């Protein structure tokens, strides 16, 4: 059965009781249960309390119209989204501090933040405020709120704060909880029920991470804040239908075309919402056998390179922040009975100091099984092939980060958070990428506009693919890989794919091989005579030697990689590009390099070996 079928098959009395008792069954105790909160792990509590103390030493962030308007004036999103995010984060931290300490000063700090959130003219981010844009304005209309990620993230804070601080807020600031409910109804619950035009519902068949991200937050708003039982039931039914639509759109292989970074805000958001529904029904819902939930839980281990590096495609960093909600994955593994999934999560537990998102942090803190989990080595698969999203990830030895790892991507150029990267690959040595996918730049007004491909990091000439007859790949679903086949003879993994349909002209085939015996990665491109091919390779690290047929690079991890090609093609052109984007700098440093080689008549071969120290 599908998710929706499982939910609708539940006995009506079971569902009614679940919604009526959702606050009691949510699995997160309120502030009054001091024994629970005072027994939380010191490392987790200390991180929260240290941040809360630092916050109290600074003024609350100011949200200015001039910053909001910058999205339309000069395309800058961060001027407003930064302070707005800081306000949400500071409020969440104050709520967490209040439940951990029970102190009135922390409750007052949380109340201040909650009211400041309520006082915002809009919870919507400027980049999403199409209602104002349609009026030719930069000021949101409070009578027509736009339900986007910003609104969902904000109402989630109000809902969880009301759950855990309710009695304390009634004692310290009577009337605040009424205001929370009014704002949640006006800005989120009523628009969700009455207006079904929201693009993230996926009614047109286009599904992406906004669907589970927003639906999950709307769910907690309905369960914890809505006092109208009729509307609460209606909201939950619509949420389940929306989550079902998202899950049915995901590939059966458990892949995620939005990449590892957005997996945490797509499939992982779905898992959190399903977990809450399962808890309040006392396990009667039991969605975990619905395909492809088991395969989706294995995606992080399949994308892991090691040492904090991951295979990234589209808008995602190759080295994401370590503070991911690994407890979500651990509970997911427990529910599907997968030891490797639990091990993947537990391996990161000691890295965790603070989880962003109030609901995620509260659920993590309350999960005793998570804190009792023993950290174990990462379960690193020897190879993973995801045929629907067309992604192969292979490493030298399963369970080890040593040696070469190779990731080869097919797909098409209309994926969610797309880069023009059909046929590109990532090669990592000792876990550290050396031929790389640069990932996500800082979002601006052009990031999701028709000017998206003006950004250098999303263009194909800044991926590890050729330029064919002087032309890059273009955006659109028609530009794709075909005949992608994976073969694993002996101790090799080999991907073969046809890239002819990825370019406006020319025929091109690519073979990418990880040879475990030879400890090499080999990329071979072939094409008919008369086609002009310029091979492009994007390199992270420090070039230390460059001569015809050879380039030696010291990787960001300190290993030495050597790139070899036919010396008759010369040295090629090695370019250095300064990286002035803060998000990219955090991953790659101040500069990256690109090697461009004019290829031969109908064949080019690149071999990667471990270089001399």
């Amino acid at each position: 059965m599908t998710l929706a079928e499982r939910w609708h098959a539940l006995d009506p009395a079971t569902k009614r009781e679940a919604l009526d008792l959702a606050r009691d069954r949510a699995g997160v105790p309120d502030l009054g249960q001091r024994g629970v909160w005072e027994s939380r792990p010191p490392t987790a509590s200390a991180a929260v309390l240290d941040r809360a103390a630092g916050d109290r030493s600074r003024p609350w962030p100011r949200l200015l119209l001039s910053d909001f308007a910058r999205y339309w004036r000069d395309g800058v999103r961060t001027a407003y989204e930064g302070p707005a995010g800081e306000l949400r984060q500071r409020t969440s931290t104050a709520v967490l501090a209040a439940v951990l300490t029970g102190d009135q000063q922390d409750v007052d700090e949380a109340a201040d933040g909650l009211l400041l959130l309520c006082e915002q003219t809009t919870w919507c981010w400027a980049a999403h405020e199409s209602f104002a844009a349609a009026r030719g304005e930069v000021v949101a209309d409070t009578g027509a709120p736009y339900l986007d990620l910003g609104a969902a993230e904000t109402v989630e804070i109000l809902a969880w704060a009301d759950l855990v601080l309710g009695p304390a807020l009634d004692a310290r600031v009577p009337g605040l909880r009424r205001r929370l409910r009014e704002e949640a109804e006006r800005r989120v619950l009523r628009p969700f029920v009455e207006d079904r035009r929201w693009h993230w519902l996926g009614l047109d068949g286009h599904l992406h991470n906004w669907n589970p991200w927003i639906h999950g937050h709307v769910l907690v708003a309905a369960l914890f804040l809505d006092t109208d039982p009729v509307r609460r039931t209606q909201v939950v039914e619509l949420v389940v239908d929306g989550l079902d639509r998202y899950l049915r759109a995901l590939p059966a292989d458990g892949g995620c075309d939005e990449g590892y970074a957005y997996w945490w805000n797509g499939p992982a958001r779905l898992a959190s919402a399903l977990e809450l529904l399962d808890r309040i029904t006392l396990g009667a819902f039991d969605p975990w056998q619905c395909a492809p939930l088991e395969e989706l839980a294995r995606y992080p281990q399949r994308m892991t390179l090691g040492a904090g590096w991951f295979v990234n495609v589209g808008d995602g960093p190759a080295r994401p922040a370590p503070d991911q909600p690994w407890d979500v994955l651990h509970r997911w593994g427990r529910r599907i009975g997968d030891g490797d999934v639990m091990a993947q999560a537990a391996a990161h537990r000691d890295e965790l100091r603070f989880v962003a998102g109030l609901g995620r942090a509260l659920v993590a803190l309350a999960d005793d099984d998570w804190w009792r989990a023993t950290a174990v080595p990462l379960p690193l698969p020897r190879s993973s092939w995801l045929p629907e999203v067309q992604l192969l990830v292979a490493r030298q030895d399963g369970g080890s980060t040593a040696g070469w790892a190779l990731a080869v991507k097919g797909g098409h150029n209309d994926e969610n958070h797309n880069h023009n990267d059909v046929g590109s690959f990532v090669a990592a040595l000792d876990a550290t990428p050396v031929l790389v996918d640069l990932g996500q730049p800082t979002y601006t007004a052009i990031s999701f506009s028709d000017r998206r491909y003006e950004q250098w990091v999303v263009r194909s000439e800044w991926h590890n693919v050729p330029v064919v007859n002087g032309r890059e790949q273009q955006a659109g679903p028609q530009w794709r890989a075909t005949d992608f086949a994976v073969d694993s003879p002996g101790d090799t993994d080999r991907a073969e794919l046809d890239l002819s349909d990825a370019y406006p002209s020319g025929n091109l085939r690519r073979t990418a091989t990880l040879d475990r015996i030879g400890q090499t990665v080999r990329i071979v491109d072939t094409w008919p005579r008369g086609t002009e091919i310029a091979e492009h390779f994007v390199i992270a690290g420090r070039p230390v030697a460059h001569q015809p047929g050879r380039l030696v690079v010291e990787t960001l991890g300190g290993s030495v990689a050597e790139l070899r090609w036919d010396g008759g093609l010369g040295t090629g052109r090695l370019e250095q590009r300064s990286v002035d984007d803060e998000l990219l700098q955090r991953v790659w440093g101040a500069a990256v390099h690109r090697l461009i080689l004019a290829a031969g008549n109908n064949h080019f071969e690149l071999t990667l070996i471990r270089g001399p120290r």
Side-chain angles (χ1 to χ4, degrees), residues 248-325:
R248 285 189 286 111
L250 293 175
D253 59 21
C256 180
D257 72 348
E258 296 180 273
Y260 170 80
Y262 276 102
W263 182 92
W264 290 104
N265 286 319
R269 294 283 183 184
L270 170 68
S272 293
L274 297 181
E275 182 187 344
L276 179 56
L277 288 167
D278 200 29
R279 262 201 313 270
I280 67 173
T281 61
L282 302 181
F285 180 33
D286 190 22
W288 304 106
Q289 301 309 311
C290 290
L293 281 170
E294 289 191 14
E295 293 300 326
L296 285 168
R298 299 176 181 124
Y299 186 78
Q301 66 188 264
R302 292 166 172 166
M303 296 301 109
T304 299
L305 294 172
W309 294 97
F310 290 81
V311 175
N312 62 315
V313 296
D315 280 347
R319 195 174 180 83
D323 56 347
Q324 305 296 342

Side-chain angles (χ1 to χ4, degrees), residues 397-542:
D397 294 300
S400 172
T401 60
W404 285 104
L406 171 69
V408 186
K409 180 189 180 300
H412 60 83
N413 280 337
D414 193 37
E415 295 165 340
N416 290 311
H417 296 277
N418 180 65
H419 291 197
N420 288 341
D421 59 357
V422 173
S424 190
F425 68 95
V426 170
L429 181 58
D430 301 332
T432 303
V434 58
L435 291 179
V436 307
D437 185 316
L438 292 170
Q440 178 197 337
T442 300
Y443 288 153
T444 67
I446 73 170
S447 297
F448 299 100
S449 73
D450 56 7
R451 297 177 56 198
R452 175 176 176 81
Y453 297 93
E454 294 177 16
Q455 303 173 103
W456 63 284
V457 296
V458 305
R459 295 173 59 173
S460 71
E461 70 171 9
W462 278 95
H463 288 81
N464 297 316
V465 293
V467 168
V468 179
N469 290 327
R471 303 185 70 179
E472 298 181 63
Q473 294 182 16
Q474 304 297 305
Q478 69 273 31
W479 310 110
R480 58 178 58 244
T482 58
D483 298 331
F484 197 137
V486 171
D487 190 21
S488 300
D491 284 306
T492 64
D493 276 312
R494 181 170 59 238
E496 298 186 42
L497 60 165
D498 192 321
L499 300 181
S500 301
D501 289 347
Y503 291 89
S505 67
N507 295 315
L508 178 69
R509 291 192 66 87
R510 166 164 283 185
T511 301
T513 304
L514 173 66
D515 180 347
R516 295 184 175 88
I517 299 299
Q519 299 186 35
T520 61
V521 167
R522 183 173 294 106
I523 309 297
V524 177
D525 290 340
T526 56
W527 58 90
R529 290 181 181 274
T531 303
E532 180 184 330
I533 298 291
E535 298 283 357
H536 286 57
F537 302 106
V538 183
I539 300 163
R542 184 173 66 91

Side-chain angles (χ1 to χ4, degrees), residues 52-53 56 94 97-98 101-112 172:
R56 287 194 297 271
T101 66
D103 288 349
Q104 291 183 349
Q105 69 166 352
D106 291 319
V107 174
D108 287 347
E109 176 86 355
D112 285 342
R172 295 291 292 175

Side-chain angles (χ1 to χ4, degrees), residues 145-158:
Y146 193 97
L147 179 48
D148 76 325
L149 287 179
E153 288 276 277
T154 305
V155 82
E156 184 249 5
I157 295 170
L158 271 57

